[in-house]
Amino acid sequence: MQVSLRGIVKRFGPVQVLHGVDLAFEPGHVYGLLGENGAGKSTLMKILAGYEAPSEGSLAVNGRTVAFDGPRAAEAQGIVLIHQEFNLAEDLTVAQNIFLGHEPRRGLWLDDAAMRATARRVLDEVGLPQVDPDTRVRELIVAERQLVEIAKALSRQARVLVMDEPTATLTPAETGRLFALVARLKAEGVCIVFISHKLDEVERATETVVVMRDGRVVAQQPTASLTRAQMANLMVGRELADLYPPRPPVPEGAPVLLSVRGLSVPGWAEGVDFEVRAGEVFGFAGLVGAGRTELFEGLLGLRPRRADAVQIAGRALLPRSPREAAEAGLTYLSEDRKGRGLHVRLGLRENLTLMALHRHARPWLRPASEHGALQQAVRDFGIRCGSLEVPAGSLSGGNQQKLALARVLHPEPRVVVLDEPTRGVDIGAKREIYALIRRLADEGRAVVVVSSELMELIGLCHRVAVMRAGRLQATLSAAQLNEQELIAHATGTH
Amino acid sequence: QAQNKVNLGVAIPAATHSFAAGLVYWANEAKKELEKDPNIKVTIKTASGAPEQANQLQDLVTATKIDSLVILPFESAALTRPVQQVKAKGVYVTVVDRGLTDTSAQDAYVSGDNTAFGKVPAEYLAKALNGKGNIVALRGIPTTIDNERMDAFMSVMKNHPGIKVLDAKHGNWNRDDAFKVMQDFLTRFKEIDAVWAADDDMAFGVLRAIEQAKRKDIKIVFGGAGAKAMVKTLMDGSNPLIQANVSYSPKFLYEAIKMTALARQKGQKLPASTIVPSVLITKENAKDFYFPDSPF
Amino acid sequence: MPPERTDAPAPAATRRWRLPPLGPLLGLLLLCIAGTLLNREFATTDNALNVLTRTAFIGIIAVGMCFVIISGGIDLSVGSMAALIAGVTILLMNKLAPLGWPPAAVVVAGMATAVLLGALFGLAHGLLITRGRIEPFIVTLGTLGIFRAYLTYFADGGALALDNTLADAYGPVYYGSLLGVPIPVWVFALVAIAGALLLKRTAYGRYVQAIGSNEQVARYAAVDVDRTKVLTYTLLGVCVGIATLLYVPRLGSASPTTGLLWELEAIAAVIVGGTALRGGAGSIGGTVVGAILLSVISNILNLTSIISVYLNAAVQGFVIIAVAFMQRRRP
Amino acid sequence: MPPERTDAPAPAATRRWRLPPLGPLLGLLLLCIAGTLLNREFATTDNALNVLTRTAFIGIIAVGMCFVIISGGIDLSVGSMAALIAGVTILLMNKLAPLGWPPAAVVVAGMATAVLLGALFGLAHGLLITRGRIEPFIVTLGTLGIFRAYLTYFADGGALALDNTLADAYGPVYYGSLLGVPIPVWVFALVAIAGALLLKRTAYGRYVQAIGSNEQVARYAAVDVDRTKVLTYTLLGVCVGIATLLYVPRLGSASPTTGLLWELEAIAAVIVGGTALRGGAGSIGGTVVGAILLSVISNILNLTSIISVYLNAAVQGFVIIAVAFMQRRRP
Ligand SMILES: Nc1ncnc2c1ncn2[C@@H]1O[C@H](COP(=O)(O)OP(=O)(O)OP(=O)(O)O)[C@@H](O)[C@H]1O
Ligand SMILES: Nc1ncnc2c1ncn2[C@@H]1O[C@H](COP(=O)(O)OP(=O)(O)OP(=O)(O)O)[C@@H](O)[C@H]1O
Ligand SMILES: [Mg+2]
Ligand SMILES: [Mg+2]
């Protein structure tokens, strides 16, 4: 089945985000869709899958013009989209979500047994054998939710499968499994569109690269004909220098700003020790489910936990809430942007300043001062938005991530924990975030980076702790850092 | 003479306004007095709605095992069937104040006089105004009793063409609502000679509204039911607007309970119907209607 | 590839099997023990049937309300709606009787009207909420006033009473029993079972939960959100109709005070039964237990006289809070 | 400290001024035109001041309720709370007067007690909701019963009346005016302005919105969720206390009907004023307009007799729905 987009234009109010896009997708072919944050990738794919209507232009399936009045109509044609932002009803179970809107029935009644069985099968396929189909989505971690989204799409018998940053939250192992799946589907004649900011993945899994910039397609070439650097340059429209900034050593005698002894989060982590010094970038590696996120949520008092001794910026304190932690000088960027990181219904300004309102109150809040801070942040972090008065939820995924990052740095913390800081961020912005992390360290802060992108940890950190099944497996110094070593410790095959 | 044991149930509306509070008070007075006799047991239940009262009747019969019942029905029509059921179980039933739609469901009926409650103030006001003037009226919560009183009032006023009833709105037997309605009446009508507030709680709100507006045209505020504070005002002559009242004392419940219990004890019957007349209260006879201990 | 977790610190414990809401059931049990201790008559079959019979009205409405609340909505008008339906039904039956219809036929016509009217009112709510895009709270606050005003108007401020012959023909619907169990209890049980099946075993029920959990997600999943919502309010309307057709023969009349505060009782039954007000998840079983629990409280208060009658409402308040405390959200 | 991005697209400085919700204001305007056409007296200063004065109670409570609703909560108990506070205050003042305190001192003591009690009750709600982890709906449904029951108990079912000398000393608080504007209107205005400032111009107000928008996210953003919530309920309690201290001198009495259904009116004012029941956003200005709008409706109904008195509530219902329709959510 061949699908084509003809002269697609999309406007949100006065802001035009797509400027006449022409594209065709052939069956049995894997496309990589690249572009900076806010380039319009997700919007284009939503139009393809019937979630948004184009302002101008049309879609054609096998040469016949079609107009989708909703995702249902697109699905009837075999076009299925896996959303960048999760699209799951948290109160429903995994199986219920997978079949929402497509429930198999036996007579009047839902066929729960069949749903459970199929759910079981697709969950196994995407690599979630440990998740019971009857678990409520509310209880899943982010990576698991992503895999459930993929499982949901799999159950739909897609002919055209669009995956919008499916790997942003996955570790290499899951990603590998996903690509095996992609290869199988391709062999079955399914057309796959893969959006990602991880250029190595694009290189590995796709045959054709489509690059978008500012709402236009600027290149469409065989993947094999491009290097990663060329892809990056096409995306940002200029030469990109080195991704990782130089890494000066931690100054001798720098004070320890975060020291954790014997931290346990029941069910997730057991007796974890580490310290981070001022000026140090400290990484946390591990597979999905290693318990890194929960470890830090425990440290912040968001989960039941106990510890032998914790010191934050020189004070002995095991915070009871993020508030106490923030007062002591530690802030945390959550990996779950939508559910924990940003107020999607509030404005950009409200989101940015929430953690440090005292800086704008004397004693009354001064919107002008907040607005100044927002303009500053938009410039500093390169947040792209049509207007500064939109709700945070209308930003593109990567730009939301930048806003979330700006927010946790707004209180000027001494210690900052960044959980998947570059999730969904384009390569240009990634480079800037790396520079920013570097700079935070140079200013004498302690930076903890939790990441599933091993390259990122290797390029950025002074030391990396590897967690496996809730325990600290090893702490590697910069000299020992390489992919094989990290994976070996993470999987326990060292 | 053989004295029967009596297990008497009393079912009345809950104390949601002063008059009902008076009912609760008098029911408890009767209970206190009767239970001095160890052979008499009185159980009082208050309900805030017809279905709840029906539930209580069931519970009184099934669990408390009463043999006599005094009930002031929350609503006449609604409680007719439930009371029938109680009577069918052999319980002696005295109905107070609001008659059932099917009188065969009761053994005796004791009531106030709702017609007089509307008629007496109408006649008084007509006389006091010399058959000429403007009246506004406040009604209670829309119910059958309220209709009876209003109809009685209007039927008298029909005979006095010189008197204009400007408007009648629901003050819901409630001070706050009466205050608001009266404020708006005062805004709307520049000449008002008298107010029929149809209940002393409402009269209270009306007086406050008049006081606030500093209006001098109103000569009489006629409440109703003889609340203790109003009767006191009348006795003392402390407010020139309060010149008379009409009795409708919750005390009839006390009488009904006592009569029923004592008659049952002796195995006698009550007269089928006893009407406690509603009479005009003026400064002269006010002290007969003053019960300082009652909440009403 | 997800790592084998043989050595993991017992994460399985976090995925415990979810039991039906135990809080309300436990509360009910404790109350029943208290009731038995306070009055021997409490634990009799007669009393139990009495309580169940009178729970039927609120219980049936609460089943419908449970759907509305799970879908993320609310309906404040159910009490007024019941009153208006009762009034109109009575008026209609009184009009039909003199036309020579046999009483049984009149009663059946009345019962059908009750259900139909309920469905119509519910439909109107649903359309105003979906097509009109008005908050459910406002729509039903508005109709709360409208329904009751029209009843008052029809009843001329007084009460509408059913003709005696009709009342006799209709009586058994409330007062009759089948196999020793009163009809309203049967109807309540049927409605509850139908509700539970509908919620847990049909696509419609699934959609109701999905909408309450995340309306946008449901919309994306091609769930016809508007239709499901309209259906949900209609369903509640039908439940109110059924409750009313049982209510009419009980008291044989409707007045401006009929059904007063039923909305609060029905919502309370749902919430005490463990359904969250924000929607998304809930259970019919819990709702039924919640409704029974609420009427048991007042039953016990009726059966005893240990505290001042003035404080009855306070006892109810304390019990409600205590039950909720027992099943409070985990931290 | 963050990297320079000289090439980043300059953010368009489209800082449009956000207008207050126009729907309710428009509704109010239309109503006022209708009122003027129906009765010339409607548009007089006296009538306007009357309406504003009586709006004061509900309005002040609605300001506090607005915070609670924005934070994602609800309080059903405000009416009962007001009644109980009024009752206790009156009892206290009546007790103090014979001790030889000067009436003015007694009145001040009474007023302080009212605010203090309100704060205490609100605090209790807040603690039960946050520490006890019980749904606000349930907590306040419980206290709704408890507060009113205790008032009824204290009043022995009847009314608690303020001693006459005290009533005279206290009267001016309700009946007095300053620059021709009644005291309650001043207080209402002050509370509304303070509320608006608190909501829009303080960190606390921002936290309230953040919590209502997404409690989880707020917690991660280092907002002290529990403390903010407790404060919010306490604030509402204080508002109820202030409303009550204005209410007591009006009639000088409290009875079991005092404050009946105020919760519904206050919530309606907030929602009609354009605040969404699900929380996260709302405005004090809209709430004030909503409260005034609701009392203007009944004022107009009292000033005219074009329709049956029985249908008053229906008119209110229709107007509420119509106003909501005018400001309905965009599709
Ligand atoms: N509903 C909306 N209202 C207003 N603007 C929108 C809306 N949806 C998207 N936009 C804007 O359209 C532009 C393109 O967004 P889109 O999500 O397609 O970007 P993207 O290429 O997927 O970026 P990312 O890599 O960050 O996911 C962004 O500037 C975004 O702010
Ligand atoms: N022993 C185990 N058996 C099966 N699954 C487990 C086990 N331990 C953890 N998991 C899964 O892993 C998840 C824990 O992920 P967690 O967020 O702690 O990892 P993480 O290191 O932060 O990973 P990431 O941030 O990459 O998602 C749990 O939700 C659970 O499903
Ligand atoms: Mg995107
Ligand atoms: Mg994680």
Side-chain angles (χ1 to χ4, degrees):
Chain A
M1 183 175 89
Q2 194 243 23
V3 182
S4 50
L5 299 151
R6 297 176 188 149
I8 299 288
V9 169
K10 180 68 184 177
R11 290 183 207 90
F12 290 106
V15 187
Q16 182 163 358
V17 300
L18 293 177
H19 303 261
V21 174
D22 294 296
L23 267 181
F25 297 114
E26 302 294 336
H29 203 84
V30 183
Y31 295 85
L33 185 54
L34 296 180
E36 279 185 289
N37 295 134
K41 306 179 293 294
S42 299
T43 308
L44 186 67
M45 291 302 114
K46 281 186 194 163
I47 289 172
L48 177 64
Y51 289 91
E52 300 265 8
S55 308
E56 284 169 34
S58 65
L59 300 170
V61 173
N62 291 336
R64 249 183 327 107
T65 302
V66 288
F68 299 141
D69 59 357
R72 188 76 179 217
E75 269 182 35
Q77 299 279 357
I79 303 173
V80 177
L81 169 65
I82 300 172
H83 283 263
Q84 178 175 18
E85 301 301 335
F86 298 140
N87 207 11
L88 300 169
E90 298 207 328
D91 294 299
L92 299 190
T93 66
V94 170
Q96 288 171 349
N97 264 291
I98 288 178
F99 287 96
L100 188 58
H102 300 75
E103 290 82 358
R105 302 179 200 190
R106 246 200 332 237
L108 260 182
W109 310 118
L110 293 176
D111 191 348
D112 275 319
M115 279 190 252
R116 222 169 275 135
T118 314
R120 183 68 276 156
R121 184 173 58 71
V122 290
L123 286 174
D124 288 346
E125 263 179 83
V126 299
L128 279 179
Q130 80 278 20
V131 169
D132 181 343
D134 288 333
T135 314
R136 271 172 218 266
V137 166
R138 187 180 291 293
E139 290 159 31
L140 298 183
I141 60 164
V142 175
E144 290 170 331
R145 292 183 193 199
Q146 179 67 65
L147 292 172
V148 168
E149 283 276 12
I150 297 170
K152 179 171 160 185
L154 271 188
S155 76
R156 297 288 152 87
Q157 314 293 334
R159 303 307 304 154
V160 175
L161 179 61
V162 182
M163 298 193 269
D164 196 349
E165 301 196 29
T167 58
T169 59
L170 299 186
T171 43
E174 280 106 18
T175 306
R177 177 175 281 257
L178 178 65
F179 288 161
L181 204 65
V182 165
R184 208 195 74 207
L185 291 173
K186 171 183 139 70
E188 288 168 11
V190 177
C191 167
I192 291 160
V193 181
F194 177 70
I195 304 181
S196 175
H197 291 293
K198 299 180 180 174
L199 301 182
D200 55 326
E201 292 175 357
V202 174
E203 202 169 39
R204 226 167 100 199
T206 68
E207 296 160 291
T208 302
V209 170
V210 178
V211 184
M212 288 183 72
R213 199 189 309 146
D214 293 331
R216 294 184 176 82
V217 173
V218 294
Q220 177 163 10
Q221 296 180 26
T223 310
S225 70
L226 288 170
T227 65
R228 282 185 223 175
Q230 284 170 319
M231 289 183 203
N233 292 346
L234 279 173
M235 278 168 62
V236 291
R238 66 193 143 83
E239 288 290 322
L240 269 183
D242 253 0
L243 200 51
Y244 300 102
R247 175 171 30 189
V250 184
E252 281 298 318
V256 172
L257 287 187
L258 176 64
S259 146
V260 174
R261 293 269 157 267
L263 178 61
S264 296
V265 181
W268 300 103
E270 210 35 68
V272 174
D273 302 323
F274 65 93
E275 0 176 282
V276 189
R277 290 190 291 158
E280 188 177 21
V281 181
F282 189 82
F284 264 87
L287 300 176
V288 165
R292 296 163 296 166
T293 299
E294 285 74 12
L295 177 75
F296 284 99
E297 286 178 345
L299 179 63
L300 288 168
L302 289 160
R303 288 172 182 274
R305 85 293 190 211
R306 52 179 192 276
D308 297 337
V310 171
Q311 269 197 11
I312 299 172
R315 262 173 71 197
L317 167 81
L318 180 58
R320 271 169 305 177
S321 68
R323 165 105 253 155
E324 275 190 12
E327 279 164 2
L330 183 153
T331 60
Y332 170 72
L333 172 75
S334 169
E335 64 176 343
D336 180 2
R337 188 165 61 222
K338 207 169 169 191
R340 298 182 177 139
L342 275 185
H343 281 103
V344 287
R345 274 156 54 201
L346 295 187
L348 306 184
R349 179 166 57 89
E350 287 84 348
N351 266 296
L352 176 69
T353 56
L354 188 64
M355 286 180 84
L357 278 175
H358 55 91
R359 283 178 45 191
H360 305 282
R362 50 175 68 162
W364 301 113
L365 287 181
R366 291 173 311 139
S369 144
E370 286 184 77
H371 194 73
L374 176 60
Q375 277 174 324
Q376 181 73 33
V378 163
R379 235 175 293 121
D380 291 345
F381 292 81
I383 299 170
R384 291 197 185 193
C385 51
S387 142
L388 295 186
E389 293 299 299
V390 293
S394 78
L395 292 186
S396 82
N399 284 307
Q400 288 183 21
Q401 182 69 19
K402 295 176 197 166
L403 180 63
L405 196 57
R407 167 183 185 157
V408 295
L409 294 177
H410 199 55
E412 306 254 341
R414 302 290 312 280
V415 184
V416 57
V417 179
L418 305 174
D419 198 347
E420 309 289 359
T422 58
R423 174 184 166 194
V425 168
D426 70 49
I427 181 114
K430 229 177 219 171
R431 187 172 153 270
E432 280 145 19
I433 290 175
Y434 295 151
L436 165 73
I437 290 173
R438 185 68 261 143
R439 198 126 31 136
L440 291 171
D442 290 346
E443 287 166 0
R445 301 173 210 272
V447 185
V448 177
V449 178
V450 179
S451 174
S452 305
E453 277 194 61
L454 297 178
M455 286 320 295
E456 177 168 299
L457 294 173
I458 294 168
L460 214 53
C461 300
H462 293 106
R463 290 185 299 147
V464 174
V466 188
M467 276 185 80
R468 188 169 73 85
R471 287 176 205 277
L472 212 56
Q473 225 42 42
T475 305
L476 307 174
S477 64
Q480 300 166 284
L481 284 180
N482 62 61
E483 260 180 288
Q484 289 73 25
E485 191 78 359
L486 286 175
I487 290 176
H489 282 290
T491 53
T493 53
H494 196 254
Chain B
Q1 192 184 347
Q3 298 256 309
N4 300 327
K5 280 197 173 223
V6 178
N7 188 351
L8 179 95
V10 178
I12 51 179
T16 50
H17 53 111
S18 300
F19 180 77
L23 290 174
V24 177
Y25 169 81
W26 284 114
N28 277 308
E29 288 294 297
K31 176 180 159 86
K32 250 190 269 168
E33 195 161 327
L34 288 170
E35 284 189 345
K36 284 179 191 151
D37 180 341
N39 286 325
I40 301 181
K41 187 175 160 231
V42 179
T43 312
I44 302 171
K45 292 293 162 204
T46 65
S48 45
E52 190 183 348
Q53 195 169 48
N55 292 346
Q56 289 174 344
L57 293 186
Q58 265 185 345
D59 291 341
L60 282 172
V61 174
T62 344
T64 318
K65 310 225 179 296
I66 55 166
D67 51 42
S68 331
L69 172 72
V70 175
I71 178 171
L72 199 158
F74 205 94
E75 259 166 44
S76 313
L79 280 140
T80 302
R81 288 199 139 251
V83 172
Q84 242 165 12
Q85 300 242 323
V86 173
K87 188 165 181 248
K89 296 240 165 78
V91 175
Y92 186 87
V93 177
T94 304
V95 173
V96 183
D97 195 32
R98 304 172 193 170
L100 300 178
T101 45
D102 179 358
T103 47
S104 71
Q106 66 203 23
D107 291 294
Y109 178 51
V110 178
S111 88
D113 188 348
N114 280 311
T115 311
F117 190 96
K119 223 158 148 183
V120 168
E123 280 160 357
Y124 181 88
L125 289 175
K127 195 147 146 252
L129 297 178
N130 281 326
K132 221 173 87 43
N134 294 330
I135 295 182
V136 292
L138 284 90
R139 309 180 52 167
I141 294 171
T143 45
T144 331
I145 340 172
D146 183 63
N147 283 354
E148 275 176 42
R149 294 172 177 179
M150 191 67 204
D151 292 345
F153 185 85
M154 293 310 283
S155 71
V156 173
M157 285 306 171
K158 261 213 288 304
N159 308 329
H160 300 276
I163 293 183
K164 250 176 81 186
V165 179
L166 296 170
D167 200 359
K169 293 217 183 277
H170 290 284
N172 303 326
W173 289 321
N174 171 322
R175 297 176 180 208
D176 286 304
D177 290 352
F179 179 85
K180 288 184 207 166
V181 170
M182 192 60 203
Q183 254 191 350
D184 288 339
F185 276 158
L186 291 172
T187 304
R188 188 170 153 200
F189 304 113
K190 294 302 167 202
E191 286 294 333
I192 300 174
D193 296 295
V195 183
W196 180 47
D199 178 78
D200 286 337
D201 259 348
M202 290 199 286
F204 195 85
V206 166
L207 288 176
R208 280 311 181 83
I210 296 172
E211 212 173 291
Q212 185 209 13
K214 305 196 177 60
R215 283 273 290 264
K216 300 286 176 234
D217 47 328
I218 296 139
K219 297 171 198 84
I220 306 177
V221 173
F222 201 110
K228 142 178 110 169
M230 283 297 176
V231 177
K232 184 89 169 52
T233 311
L234 196 56
M235 269 158 61
D236 302 348
S238 52
N239 190 334
L241 291 178
I242 304 292
Q243 297 177 6
N245 206 320
V246 56
S247 73
Y248 196 89
S249 169
K251 198 177 171 206
F252 60 53
L253 181 66
Y254 171 84
E255 312 287 358
I257 295 171
K258 263 181 76 177
M259 284 187 324
T260 308
L262 297 177
R264 294 308 293 154
Q265 198 169 35
K266 301 197 184 86
Q268 297 166 347
K269 291 192 159 227
L270 290 186
S273 174
T274 315
I275 301 241
V276 180
S278 282
V279 299
L280 188 70
I281 309 176
T282 55
K283 198 168 178 2
E284 287 68 42
N285 63 352
K287 62 180 187 312
D288 303 339
F289 297 88
Y290 185 57
F291 309 103
D293 291 335
S294 159
F296 181 67
Chain C
M1 89 42 356
E4 313 89 87
R5 294 319 205 79
T6 40
D7 54 348
T14 55
R15 298 257 164 95
R16 249 166 291 141
W17 175 243
R18 215 175 317 251
L19 284 162
L22 277 181
L25 213 58
L26 194 68
L28 184 56
L29 209 75
L30 289 179
L31 264 184
C32 288
I33 294 174
T36 317
L37 293 179
L38 287 168
N39 189 326
R40 281 179 315 103
E41 299 295 335
F42 175 81
T44 56
T45 322
D46 267 5
N47 188 54
L49 289 180
N50 276 347
V51 172
L52 282 178
T53 312
R54 56 178 88 141
T55 311
F57 311 130
I58 295 295
I60 291 171
I61 295 176
V63 168
M65 186 68 85
C66 187
F67 279 82
V68 166
I69 289 179
I70 291 178
S71 84
I74 190 99
D75 189 337
L76 299 176
S77 75
V78 290
S80 307
M81 195 197 287
L84 181 56
I85 294 176
V88 172
T89 312
I90 290 173
L91 271 180
L92 181 88
M93 290 195 285
N94 285 350
K95 283 260 153 61
L96 289 182
L99 302 184
W101 291 37
V106 174
V107 168
V108 170
M111 285 168 35
T113 313
V115 176
L116 209 76
L117 268 179
L120 270 178
F121 290 150
L123 185 71
H125 283 158
L127 290 176
L128 280 167
I129 290 163
T130 55
R131 291 290 136 81
R133 294 196 302 281
I134 315 178
E135 285 240 16
F137 186 92
I138 303 231
V139 169
T140 56
L141 182 70
T143 53
L144 159 77
I146 297 174
F147 292 151
R148 195 165 292 287
Y150 274 95
L151 171 68
T152 314
Y153 181 72
F154 290 143
D156 243 346
L160 290 165
L162 196 59
D163 286 350
N164 261 334
T165 48
L166 288 174
D168 291 341
Y170 203 164
V173 172
Y174 181 80
Y175 293 102
S177 354
L178 200 71
L179 309 176
V181 176
I183 306 273
V185 179
W186 281 112
V187 178
F188 181 23
L190 286 179
V191 168
I193 292 170
L197 282 176
L198 206 57
L199 184 64
K200 295 287 173 209
R201 301 294 308 281
T202 68
Y204 162 73
R206 186 67 47 84
Y207 296 159
V208 168
Q209 297 176 53
I211 291 172
S213 182
N214 190 329
E215 191 169 326
Q216 179 72 1
V217 168
R219 219 179 273 281
Y220 274 0
V223 170
D224 193 338
V225 173
D226 285 2
R227 195 162 139 262
T228 307
K229 281 190 179 178
V230 170
L231 258 173
T232 305
Y233 286 92
T234 311
L235 182 76
L236 173 54
V238 169
C239 285
V240 174
I242 296 175
T244 311
L245 76 81
L246 292 174
Y247 174 84
V248 170
R250 174 170 192 201
L251 301 182
S253 77
S255 79
T257 55
T258 301
L260 219 55
L261 295 187
W262 281 11
E263 57 279 358
L264 224 55
E265 283 184 59
I267 298 173
V270 175
I271 308 281
V272 168
T275 299
L277 196 60
R278 70 173 149 71
S283 92
I284 300 291
T287 300
V288 170
V289 173
I292 297 176
L293 192 143
L294 293 179
S295 37
V296 166
I297 302 176
S298 68
N299 176 246
I300 293 180
L301 288 172
N302 281 343
L303 294 186
T304 54
S305 329
I306 34 175
I307 52 157
S308 159
V309 287
Y310 298 134
L311 290 178
N312 277 0
V315 175
Q316 289 181 338
F318 284 121
V319 174
I320 289 174
I321 294 181
V323 171
F325 187 74
M326 289 196 293
Q327 56 155 328
R328 67 199 189 277
R329 290 172 273 143
R330 301 282 110 219
Chain D
M1 47 141 229
E4 309 97 84
R5 266 284 287 240
T6 40
D7 56 346
T14 48
R15 246 190 95 211
R16 252 167 291 137
W17 178 242
R18 232 170 298 216
L19 282 165
L22 279 181
L25 212 58
L26 194 70
L28 183 56
L29 210 75
L30 289 178
L31 263 185
C32 288
I33 294 173
T36 317
L37 293 178
L38 286 169
N39 189 326
R40 280 178 317 102
E41 298 295 335
F42 175 81
T44 56
T45 322
D46 270 4
N47 189 52
L49 288 181
N50 272 350
V51 172
L52 282 179
T53 313
R54 22 173 129 131
T55 310
F57 311 132
I58 295 294
I60 291 171
I61 295 176
V63 168
M65 186 68 84
C66 186
F67 279 82
V68 166
I69 290 179
I70 291 177
S71 84
I74 191 102
D75 190 337
L76 299 176
S77 75
V78 289
S80 308
M81 195 197 289
L84 180 56
I85 294 176
V88 172
T89 312
I90 290 173
L91 274 179
L92 181 86
M93 291 195 284
N94 286 351
K95 284 261 153 59
L96 288 182
L99 300 184
W101 292 36
V106 174
V107 167
V108 170
M111 286 166 40
T113 313
V115 176
L116 209 75
L117 268 180
L120 270 179
F121 290 151
L123 185 70
H125 284 156
L127 290 177
L128 280 167
I129 290 163
T130 55
R131 291 292 137 82
R133 295 195 303 280
I134 315 179
E135 286 241 12
F137 187 92
I138 302 234
V139 168
T140 56
L141 181 70
T143 54
L144 158 77
I146 296 173
F147 292 151
R148 196 165 291 286
Y150 273 94
L151 170 67
T152 316
Y153 181 71
F154 290 144
D156 240 350
L160 288 165
L162 198 56
D163 286 351
N164 263 333
T165 47
L166 288 175
D168 291 340
Y170 204 164
V173 173
Y174 181 82
Y175 293 103
S177 355
L178 199 72
L179 309 174
V181 175
I183 307 275
V185 179
W186 282 111
V187 178
F188 181 22
L190 285 180
V191 169
I193 291 170
L197 279 175
L198 206 57
L199 184 63
K200 295 285 173 212
R201 299 295 304 278
T202 67
Y204 162 73
R206 189 64 59 77
Y207 294 154
V208 169
Q209 298 176 48
I211 292 172
S213 181
N214 189 331
E215 186 172 328
Q216 173 92 309
V217 175
R219 210 180 284 277
Y220 273 76
V223 172
D224 194 338
V225 173
D226 284 2
R227 195 163 139 265
T228 307
K229 280 191 178 178
V230 170
L231 259 173
T232 305
Y233 286 91
T234 311
L235 182 76
L236 173 53
V238 169
C239 286
V240 174
I242 296 176
T244 311
L245 75 83
L246 293 174
Y247 172 84
V248 170
R250 171 155 127 186
L251 297 177
S253 71
S255 74
T257 53
T258 301
L260 217 57
L261 295 187
W262 281 11
E263 57 279 357
L264 223 54
E265 283 183 58
I267 298 173
V270 175
I271 309 280
V272 168
T275 300
L277 196 60
R278 72 179 141 70
S283 92
I284 300 291
T287 300
V288 169
V289 173
I292 296 176
L293 192 143
L294 292 180
S295 29
V296 166
I297 302 176
S298 67
N299 176 246
I300 293 180
L301 287 171
N302 280 339
L303 291 183
T304 53
S305 347
I306 34 175
I307 50 157
S308 158
V309 281
Y310 299 135
L311 289 179
N312 277 1
V315 175
Q316 290 181 340
F318 284 121
V319 173
I320 289 174
I321 294 181
V323 171
F325 188 74
M326 288 195 294
Q327 57 154 327
R328 67 198 188 278
R329 291 171 273 146
R330 302 282 112 220

